[in-house]
Amino acid sequence: MINSGWLRLELREQDIFRAAVSFLANRLCDSDTVEWAIVKATHNKVLRAAVIHTLSSTLGSNVKEPWRSIWRYIEEYWREPSSEMPDSFDEYDIRRRLASGELTGSLIQDMVNLVAPRLKVEFETRISSGIAKKKRAPKQPIDLLSIGITSGKAIDIDALKFSEITNSSFLFSLCTSLDAAVTKGLEIAKRAGWDGGPETWRLGQLNRVYYVPKSEQDGRRREPDEFHQGIAPSVKLLYAAVERLTEIKLSAGLEIAHRWRLSTSPVFLRLWAALARNQLVAPPKEVASFISTLSDEVFWLIPHFPEVAELKARRFNDLSEDEKTLLSARIRKMPPRRIWPHLLAGEALKKERKIMAIQELFRIEAAGGILDTVTGEWLASEKELAATLTAKTGVEMGFPSSGEAFWVQPDPDPRFDSLVGETRLDALAEALASPRVSWDKDPAERAADWLRQP
């Protein structure tokens, strides 16, 4: 907890403290002061102490909203500043301690701290312009602050070697601590503006709730959340710990899974769906009950609920014939209109609905599922559209993945070689000022490539 007691400061620091307190007097309702606090005071314990002292004084208690909340967000951010988050060395240290057989509460705390989501506050730079300042005073904290969550970097789950841990008590304690960290992260995100829905950009993105080993990445170079900081690192470590716990003590793992099943959070729903791929965790009847009660959004919004789509495909053959028939019929019915609120009705909408239905049936077949005769005939009747999708067939078809960076071969326009003098200069000037015609036809880029040549 931040200590604002100035008596704990050195004599030299006390002078700075008093000067900062004087500076802050009657300036708490000023956007420049907020910017100063975030940019300057965040990394200075004396300035932080001055801010906290002022907030606790009579001046601070008289501050009105939204300024009161703005300063309390900053205070919370300072309790766990992102600048003090663990680095890669801490991950190596945890690997070493796990490998040595350590199973202490201290290790659990360090593992949680390695991935725990925490509040991130930044000054909203668009407010710094004079125009924005004069336009209106902030009505809510997000008018002045950029509020979100962050965390340490994603860790290599394989390197932790959970498969070598056999102590169920240690794993259960780790799971409950990580579960609490994820819950706290979701609550922070809600206060930061997340509506609790399936979109995860306010959570720092979450493409998959479980870690995807390199051997299962289907040609991808990156783990789906390798560069995501926010909720993803803690969710993936939580899933790995619970998955291992179910392997060595099923009842303990089921206790945690049951809480996930009852949660209304889309993150915990996705965690349960991923864990329910295991028949020991979820018997066929429970899977069927889960699928039958899914809303259209959860059922059809594959990028937001990839684990649910995977569960439907991988456990399809475990369902009874009647349950498979009902699921197939729902897919043939195609997604409702509201899935595409901004797409105009017409042939484009009709095509998108069919594509999604065909993709779901292909996903089931890719997982080894056997479709009923009626569904097979329906799929055959759409063979022309289905043919355009066969190259993409796979259980993970349509799942979000990590962005890829790749080198683009320069493509200089050779026509400039045959031009000379002002004619060449005029041609280059015209090309450089030309807009892109299509994805693979950009006169300006080709002219720039020609200029970059030795």
Side-chain angles (χ1 to χ4, degrees), residues 184-198:
K184 178 183 176 182
L186 296 177
E187 292 303 317
I188 292 173
K190 286 180 180 178
R191 289 189 288 109
W194 179 53
D195 62 1

Side-chain angles (χ1 to χ4, degrees), residues 4 51-61 72:
S4 60
V51 172
I52 301 305
H53 174 84
T54 305
L55 292 177
S56 303
S57 69
T58 304
L59 287 173
S61 62
R72 291 308 178 186

